[in-house]
Amino acid sequence: MPSKADVKAWKTQLVAQAEQQILKLTDSDQFKQYLNTLAKFHQYSARNIDLIYAQNPQATQVAGFKQWQTDFNRTVNKGAKAIRIAAPIIKKLTPADQKRLDTTDERAIVGYRYLPIFDISQTSGDPVLSAKDFVKENLADHQNVTSLYNAFKDYLNQQTDLQVSEAPLAKLNGAKGYFQPCTNRIVIGGDEPDNALKLKTLYHEYAHSQLHGLKAAFKDRPRAYQETQAEAVAYVAMQNIGVDTSNYSLGYVATWAKDKAVIHSALSEIQQVSNKVIALSDGLTKQLGLQEAQKEPEHDLKKRSAQELNQSYQGLQQQIKQATDPQQKSELKNQLNDVHQEISDRTQKQLQDFVSQNPEIRQAERNTGETLKR
């Protein structure tokens, strides 16, 4: 059994390997690969995205050993090497702890443990589809991309302090759009024929507004740095909805200093805004009906056994407890309600079938009721 020192050294090595991979991101192709990981796993912390990317840059969907079995009816392949991610160890604080830490919080993170997860490529079993598979197909349609662009533009105009308008490309001096910090205004080339590029431009300029506006903490970044960040956010947002933007320039990541702290800071900033854009886009695509997919085969509750339903119910309860993102927690609660309803419906049907096959049970219930009433 490994000693505490061995475990500590192994954990340190994991993080160090992740950091070395991040430092290599001055190559644009590697940066694209990292952003692909960010788009797929945006619900994870920056620390865990770094760890997933460092250990398996091609990972697309990850889950624990048991979760693959209970939630997806898949098994991890024999000999598969686990990806390790950090999970916080949360401790309930005593009054003495609160005083020592100068906090009123009842709980605090006291450390991390590294949990094993596996990518879908390391598993076998039922096919796994997600809403994004259907979103990608729907957004291949010209009208749907236009609808999402208009919905996002309307949202920014109505729900934020940004003003988004359009102007002819001829008046934009060769640009597809721009953000003006002094007026908090975004202008998009309205006659751009490529609707995907038009949407991507809006994501790009929105990223500038969040990262480089007058009140933004990062407004003084060098121009090349700002453009790379905004383009990265736009790339992640488009990847999230399944629209390929590989033909568009990502900028030159090599303009960044080869400094670990600077790169981590930049990636953290990109992730914060990317998560915000992804949450907005996911909400809008649902409102537009672009995620109203047919029942996914592996999630068809009526095909699951009672044991699988119970395991899924317990698993979802645990995921809800651990979820920190409000949208993710809401989606998990909806799934839990669906499973609960299926268990309830199935139980009622079983009871009805049993009673119909055993009429004496109903008679006994009636007699018992009459006796109690006396």
Side-chain angles (χ1 to χ4, degrees), residues 274-303:
S274 294
N275 286 349
K276 190 173 182 179
V277 175
I278 285 173
L280 287 172
S281 296
D282 285 352
L284 292 171
T285 54
K286 286 178 181 177
Q287 289 178 24
L288 293 168
L290 299 180
Q291 289 196 21
E292 291 177 1
Q294 62 190 24
K295 275 280 185 178
E296 300 167 15
E298 78 287 1
H299 288 218
D300 189 344
L301 300 179
K302 295 189 182 302
K303 292 182 180 179

Coordinates of all heavy atoms in Angstrom, one line a residue, residues 274-303:
S274 N -16.5 31.8 -21.5 CA -17.0 30.6 -22.3 C -18.2 30.0 -21.6 O -19.2 29.7 -22.2 CB -15.9 29.6 -22.6 OG -14.9 30.2 -23.4
N275 N -18.1 29.7 -20.3 CA -19.1 29.1 -19.5 C -20.4 29.9 -19.6 O -21.5 29.4 -19.7 CB -18.7 28.9 -18.1 CG -17.7 27.8 -18.0 OD1 -17.5 27.0 -18.9 ND2 -17.1 27.6 -16.8
K276 N -20.2 31.3 -19.5 CA -21.4 32.2 -19.5 C -22.1 32.1 -20.9 O -23.3 32.0 -21.0 CB -20.9 33.6 -19.2 CG -22.0 34.6 -19.0 CD -21.4 35.9 -18.5 CE -22.5 37.0 -18.2 NZ -21.9 38.2 -17.8
V277 N -21.3 32.2 -22.0 CA -21.8 32.1 -23.3 C -22.5 30.8 -23.6 O -23.6 30.7 -24.1 CB -20.7 32.4 -24.4 CG1 -21.3 32.2 -25.8 CG2 -20.2 33.8 -24.2
I278 N -21.9 29.7 -23.1 CA -22.5 28.4 -23.3 C -23.8 28.3 -22.6 O -24.8 27.7 -23.2 CB -21.5 27.3 -22.9 CG1 -20.4 27.1 -23.9 CG2 -22.2 25.9 -22.7 CD1 -19.3 26.2 -23.4
A279 N -23.9 28.7 -21.4 CA -25.1 28.7 -20.6 C -26.2 29.5 -21.3 O -27.4 29.0 -21.4 CB -24.9 29.2 -19.2
L280 N -25.9 30.7 -21.8 CA -26.9 31.5 -22.5 C -27.3 30.8 -23.8 O -28.5 30.7 -24.1 CB -26.3 32.9 -22.9 CG -26.1 33.9 -21.7 CD1 -25.3 35.1 -22.2 CD2 -27.4 34.3 -21.2
S281 N -26.4 30.3 -24.6 CA -26.7 29.6 -25.8 C -27.6 28.4 -25.6 O -28.5 28.1 -26.3 CB -25.4 29.2 -26.6 OG -24.7 30.4 -27.0
D282 N -27.2 27.6 -24.6 CA -28.0 26.4 -24.3 C -29.4 26.7 -24.0 O -30.4 26.1 -24.4 CB -27.4 25.6 -23.2 CG -26.1 24.8 -23.6 OD1 -25.9 24.8 -24.9 OD2 -25.4 24.3 -22.8
G283 N -29.6 27.8 -23.1 CA -30.9 28.2 -22.8 C -31.7 28.7 -24.0 O -32.9 28.4 -24.1
L284 N -31.1 29.5 -24.9 CA -31.8 30.0 -26.1 C -32.1 28.9 -27.0 O -33.2 28.9 -27.6 CB -30.9 31.0 -26.8 CG -30.7 32.3 -26.0 CD1 -29.6 33.2 -26.6 CD2 -32.0 33.1 -25.8
T285 N -31.2 27.9 -27.2 CA -31.5 26.8 -28.2 C -32.7 26.0 -27.6 O -33.5 25.5 -28.4 CB -30.3 25.9 -28.4 OG1 -29.8 25.4 -27.1 CG2 -29.2 26.6 -29.1
K286 N -32.8 25.9 -26.3 CA -34.0 25.2 -25.8 C -35.3 25.9 -26.0 O -36.3 25.4 -26.4 CB -33.8 24.9 -24.3 CG -32.8 23.8 -23.9 CD -32.5 23.7 -22.4 CE -31.5 22.6 -22.2 NZ -31.2 22.5 -20.7
Q287 N -35.2 27.3 -25.8 CA -36.4 28.1 -26.0 C -36.8 28.0 -27.5 O -38.0 28.1 -27.8 CB -36.1 29.5 -25.6 CG -35.9 29.8 -24.1 CD -35.6 31.2 -23.8 OE1 -35.8 32.1 -24.6 NE2 -34.9 31.4 -22.7
L288 N -35.9 27.9 -28.4 CA -36.2 27.9 -29.8 C -36.6 26.5 -30.3 O -37.0 26.3 -31.4 CB -34.9 28.3 -30.6 CG -34.5 29.8 -30.4 CD1 -33.1 30.0 -31.1 CD2 -35.5 30.7 -31.1
G289 N -36.5 25.5 -29.4 CA -36.9 24.2 -29.7 C -35.9 23.4 -30.4 O -36.1 22.3 -31.0
L290 N -34.6 23.9 -30.4 CA -33.6 23.2 -31.2 C -32.9 22.1 -30.4 O -32.1 21.4 -30.9 CB -32.5 24.2 -31.5 CG -32.9 25.4 -32.4 CD1 -31.7 26.3 -32.7 CD2 -33.5 24.8 -33.7
Q291 N -33.4 21.9 -29.1 CA -32.9 20.7 -28.4 C -34.0 19.8 -28.0 O -33.9 18.9 -27.2 CB -32.2 21.2 -27.1 CG -30.9 21.9 -27.3 CD -30.1 22.0 -26.0 OE1 -30.3 21.2 -25.1 NE2 -29.1 22.9 -26.0
E292 N -35.2 19.9 -28.7 CA -36.3 19.0 -28.5 C -36.1 17.8 -29.3 O -36.7 17.6 -30.3 CB -37.6 19.7 -28.8 CG -37.9 20.9 -27.8 CD -39.2 21.6 -28.2 OE1 -39.8 21.2 -29.2 OE2 -39.6 22.5 -27.5
A293 N -35.2 17.0 -28.8 CA -34.9 15.7 -29.6 C -35.8 14.6 -29.2 O -36.4 14.6 -28.1 CB -33.4 15.4 -29.2
Q294 N -35.8 13.6 -30.0 CA -36.5 12.4 -29.7 C -35.9 11.7 -28.5 O -34.8 12.0 -28.1 CB -36.5 11.4 -30.8 CG -35.1 11.0 -31.2 CD -35.1 10.2 -32.5 OE1 -36.0 10.4 -33.4 NE2 -34.1 9.4 -32.7
K295 N -36.6 10.8 -27.8 CA -36.1 10.1 -26.7 C -34.8 9.4 -27.1 O -34.8 8.7 -28.1 CB -37.1 9.0 -26.2 CG -38.2 9.6 -25.2 CD -37.6 9.7 -23.8 CE -38.7 10.2 -22.9 NZ -38.1 10.3 -21.5
E296 N -33.8 9.6 -26.3 CA -32.5 9.0 -26.6 C -32.6 7.5 -26.1 O -33.0 7.2 -25.1 CB -31.4 9.7 -25.8 CG -31.3 11.2 -26.2 CD -30.5 12.0 -25.3 OE1 -29.7 11.4 -24.5 OE2 -30.6 13.2 -25.4
P297 N -32.1 6.6 -27.0 CA -32.2 5.2 -26.7 C -31.7 4.8 -25.3 O -32.4 4.1 -24.6 CB -31.3 4.5 -27.8 CG -31.3 5.5 -28.9 CD -31.4 6.8 -28.2
E298 N -30.6 5.3 -24.9 CA -30.0 4.8 -23.6 C -30.8 5.5 -22.4 O -30.6 5.1 -21.3 CB -28.5 5.1 -23.5 CG -28.1 6.5 -23.3 CD -28.3 7.5 -24.4 OE1 -28.8 7.0 -25.5 OE2 -28.0 8.7 -24.3
H299 N -31.6 6.5 -22.7 CA -32.3 7.2 -21.7 C -33.8 6.9 -21.7 O -34.6 7.6 -21.1 CB -32.1 8.7 -21.8 CG -30.7 9.1 -21.4 ND1 -30.4 10.3 -20.7 CD2 -29.5 8.5 -21.6 CE1 -29.1 10.4 -20.5 NE2 -28.5 9.3 -21.1
D300 N -34.2 6.0 -22.6 CA -35.6 5.6 -22.6 C -35.9 4.8 -21.3 O -35.6 3.6 -21.2 CB -35.9 4.7 -23.9 CG -37.4 4.5 -24.1 OD1 -38.1 4.7 -23.2 OD2 -37.7 4.1 -25.2
L301 N -36.6 5.5 -20.4 CA -36.8 4.9 -19.1 C -37.6 3.7 -19.1 O -37.5 2.8 -18.3 CB -37.4 6.0 -18.2 CG -36.6 7.3 -18.0 CD1 -37.3 8.3 -17.1 CD2 -35.2 7.0 -17.4
K302 N -38.5 3.6 -20.0 CA -39.4 2.4 -20.1 C -38.7 1.1 -20.4 O -39.2 0.0 -20.2 CB -40.6 2.7 -21.1 CG -41.5 3.8 -20.6 CD -42.7 3.9 -21.5 CE -43.6 5.1 -21.1 NZ -44.0 5.0 -19.7
K303 N -37.5 1.3 -21.0 CA -36.7 0.1 -21.4 C -35.8 -0.3 -20.2 O -35.1 -1.4 -20.3 CB -35.9 0.4 -22.6 CG -36.8 0.6 -23.9 CD -35.9 0.8 -25.1 CE -36.7 0.9 -26.4 NZ -35.9 1.2 -27.6

